[in-house]
Amino acid sequence: MSTVPVPDLPETQRAWRVVKRGKPSESLVFQTDVAIPPLSPGEVLVKVQAAALNPVGWKVMSTAPDILARRPITPEHDFAGVVVDANGTEFSAGDEVIGFIPVPLQLKTGQGALTEFTKLPATHLVLKPSNVSAIEACGLPLAGETAFQALVGNGKLQAGQSVFVNGGSSAVGMNAIYIAKALGAKVVTSASSRNEEICRSAGADEFVDYTKKPLHEHFVENPPSPKFDIIFDAVALVDPALYKYSNAYMKPKGVFISTGPWPNLKSWGGSSGVSKLLSLGCEILRPSFLGGVDAKWAMVGVSHEPQDLAKLRDLVAEGKLKVVVDSVYGFEDVLGAYERIMTSRATGKVVVKVDGNL
Ligand SMILES: NC(=O)c1ccc[n+]([C@@H]2O[C@H](COP(=O)([O-])OP(=O)(O)OC[C@H]3O[C@@H](n4cnc5c(N)ncnc54)[C@H](OP(=O)(O)O)[C@@H]3O)[C@@H](O)[C@H]2O)c1
């Protein structure tokens, strides 16, 4: 943890704003005269150095109606920066911090991460460990808390258990590998072969290339020993197959945890269409005496828990958790950053350098 000189506070700031529903290129406007937000008790003002994108940003932008999404609003949720006004909280001006503005807080305050100065409750900040840069640190909160809450909250992961992380090269999946290994579990993971090395360097014990054969077929033919206690789908699969056939490779009291199936709403019958979502719903509801799956199906919905972010920060400080950065974009090139994350091929976090002097 370290303290740096307190940045000057300008009259107004530059910020990206979501002004209407649509693709990022249609929704986002770069404004140069946005007011610096006034603080309420318990809130801290932070100069943002770097912000990380998450899929929820573009998904909400492109689907949620303007009235529900309270537009205009500043996008994105994760950042690292420097405290400018600690406002009587436990922080001090000049502290280097990591912050998380989850969706409900963003809707309440209009604040986000793609802005030069943002405010948030002190409970949503932790001190940045000195062994990581702001570019790395900004990618921790949302993906990290999701993986932590899935494995520890939904999955009740114990040392010695066996976990399959579907999508080990995704931001959430990589966090899940690091966290499961730090907690003493065995980890099997999937990605395309180009990402095998990064999954293994995160600690994965075994690797499966999902592009070679459907995963459920792979595991039916090569059942893991022991069977999985937890399957964590960090890809948000709509296809029910990995869950449907899991009696062959999961323990009966296992838990299948999804990050939330995301159907392609334009393709009803396609491989990621709404019909697959209905089929997944049928599999979840079908009782085991009618041939249904023994393991429980659960969905993680990330919420900010201060102790979870503090635990993740500590793992980073101890070198047990690394935030892998896929790519870094300038503050004025945010649309390029959205293009990258929307490919679903990023390996780690897509980061925006908000402070050009970083
Ligand atoms: N419910 C919640 O609270 C919550 C919270 C966070 C995220 N999410 C959701 O979780 C998902 C992951 O988020 P993220 O930020 O981690 O995404 P991300 O980093 O953008 O994911 C990209 C990665 O996913 C991998 N991938 C894509 N399709 C795959 C497949 N079929 N099998 C294995 N790997 C695959 C890609 O690897 P390859 O190039 O090798 O395919 C790439 O490395 C998103 O759908 C997001 O919306 C939900």
Side-chain angles (χ1 to χ4, degrees):
M1 332 288 171
S2 58
T3 302
V4 296
V6 183
D8 294 334
L9 195 57
E11 303 252 302
T12 58
Q13 59 169 323
R14 300 180 307 156
W16 286 90
R17 304 278 284 166
V18 186
V19 294
K20 61 177 182 181
R21 174 166 63 180
K23 292 184 281 193
S25 58
E26 301 159 346
S27 299
L28 285 168
V29 174
F30 191 53
Q31 294 182 349
T32 55
D33 56 354
V34 175
I36 306 288
L39 298 181
S40 299
E43 290 181 334
V44 174
L45 186 68
V46 180
K47 182 176 190 335
V48 177
Q49 294 177 304
L53 303 192
N54 286 282
V56 66
W58 64 261
K59 287 179 178 178
V60 169
M61 215 180 283
S62 55
T63 55
D66 292 343
I67 190 131
L68 291 181
R70 309 248 177 112
R71 294 173 186 132
I73 198 166
T74 303
E76 296 303 329
H77 311 279
D78 285 345
F79 66 90
V82 177
V83 172
V84 177
D85 184 348
N87 196 25
T89 64
E90 70 266 34
F91 291 95
S92 303
D95 281 348
E96 292 189 290
V97 289
I98 303 172
F100 182 20
I101 302 175
V103 173
L105 178 63
Q106 180 195 34
L107 293 178
K108 188 170 149 205
T109 63
Q111 298 295 303
L114 288 177
T115 186
E116 290 177 306
F117 294 86
T118 196
K119 68 163 186 175
L120 72 175
T123 49
H124 290 57
L125 288 172
V126 289
L127 293 171
K128 179 180 82 63
S130 51
N131 60 339
V132 283
S133 66
I135 299 258
E136 294 161 301
C138 71
L140 181 67
L142 196 151
E145 287 205 44
T146 304
F148 189 85
Q149 290 166 14
L151 295 177
V152 177
N154 300 87
K156 311 273 182 278
L157 178 65
Q158 303 291 320
Q161 289 190 326
S162 179
V163 181
F164 174 58
V165 176
N166 185 38
S169 60
S170 69
V172 174
M174 251 185 280
N175 275 281
I177 298 173
Y178 279 112
I179 292 165
K181 290 308 294 177
L183 294 175
K186 176 185 171 185
V187 177
V188 180
T189 196
S190 67
S192 60
S193 57
R194 71 187 176 92
N195 285 324
E196 175 169 357
E197 193 42 49
I198 202 144
C199 292
R200 289 205 184 267
S201 62
D205 300 288
E206 291 174 26
F207 179 85
V208 182
D209 179 354
Y210 76 91
T211 64
K212 288 207 170 127
K213 173 177 273 206
L215 286 169
H216 65 284
E217 287 180 21
H218 169 85
F219 287 128
V220 168
E221 288 165 21
N222 308 279
S225 177
K227 286 184 174 180
F228 300 125
D229 296 278
I230 294 173
I231 292 182
F232 178 36
D233 170 26
V235 173
L237 290 177
V238 181
D239 190 325
L242 187 61
Y243 178 63
K244 183 175 177 179
Y245 298 100
S246 63
N247 285 351
Y249 40 85
M250 250 190 129
K251 291 183 186 162
K253 292 208 167 143
V255 190
F256 185 107
I257 306 155
S258 168
T259 43
W262 184 259
N264 179 351
L265 299 171
K266 288 186 188 141
S267 106
W268 169 264
S271 63
S272 60
V274 179
S275 65
K276 289 262 192 228
L277 188 62
L278 293 175
S279 167
L280 174 62
C282 292
E283 289 309 325
I284 293 167
L285 295 175
R286 193 195 330 206
S288 51
F289 66 85
L290 290 179
V293 175
D294 292 329
K296 185 172 108 185
W297 190 93
M299 196 180 110
V300 60
V302 67
S303 63
H304 174 59
E305 302 298 339
Q307 69 279 11
D308 295 352
L309 189 54
K311 173 76 183 162
L312 292 163
R313 186 269 319 275
D314 291 347
L315 288 174
V316 170
E318 291 161 19
K320 293 181 180 163
L321 171 56
K322 291 200 169 65
V323 181
V324 173
V325 175
D326 171 82
S327 43
V328 182
Y329 292 80
F331 194 31
E332 289 172 17
D333 191 17
V334 153
L335 294 182
Y338 275 102
E339 269 178 40
R340 176 64 184 154
I341 194 166
M342 288 172 70
T343 62
S344 295
R345 295 277 82 78
T347 302
K349 297 304 298 183
V350 176
V351 171
V352 175
K353 201 160 67 159
V354 176
D355 182 347
N357 296 321
L358 204 58

